[in-house]
Amino acid sequence: MKNLKDQLAGIAALIAAIIAIGGGFVKYGEVMTKLDVIESRNTVDYSAQIAVLEEKVVALSEKHGHTKMLVNAAEIKLLKVQIEEIKVSTSNPLAN
């Protein structure tokens, strides 16, 4: 009877180990899928928006006498957008 109990305990331990290993492989697959999704994301290109802002700044500087203030405000706004973009791109440890 004791031999049968030992064999059943061994089989139960083997089944538990197989289930644990299988769970590890499932979790590994989920992580790899998430990484693939993150890597496949397209980054946003702000060059067109920057060009539009630069054109607006030039237009404003040609029309108004108080252009220094407007140019500085537009540049500050542009820099804030760029800082936010950098923060977003560096906040994700899986992006690089």
Side-chain angles (χ1 to χ4, degrees), residues 41-60:
R41 287 185 186 162
N42 293 333
T43 58
V44 177
D45 185 17
Y46 289 105
S47 60
Q49 293 173 346
I50 292 170
V52 169
L53 286 175
E54 288 174 348
E55 289 175 9
K56 288 181 179 180
V57 168
V58 169
L60 287 173

Side-chain angles (χ1 to χ4, degrees), residues 19-86:
I19 290 172
I21 291 171
F25 280 117
V26 168
K27 192 63 176 175
Y28 174 78
E30 291 173 0
V31 169
M32 294 309 294
T33 302
K34 287 180 183 179
L35 285 175
D36 289 340
V37 168
I38 290 171
E39 288 175 351
S40 67
R41 287 185 186 162
N42 293 333
T43 58
V44 177
D45 185 17
Y46 289 105
S47 60
Q49 293 173 346
I50 292 170
V52 169
L53 286 175
E54 288 174 348
E55 289 175 9
K56 288 181 179 180
V57 168
V58 169
L60 287 173
S61 65
E62 292 172 355
K63 292 180 183 178
H64 302 288
H66 59 287
T67 58
K68 275 277 194 207
M69 182 178 70
L70 296 173
V71 168
N72 288 339
E75 287 180 348
I76 289 171
K77 188 175 180 180
L78 174 64
L79 290 173
K80 285 181 180 180
V81 169
Q82 290 174 337
I83 288 170
E84 286 302 316
E85 179 185 356
I86 291 170

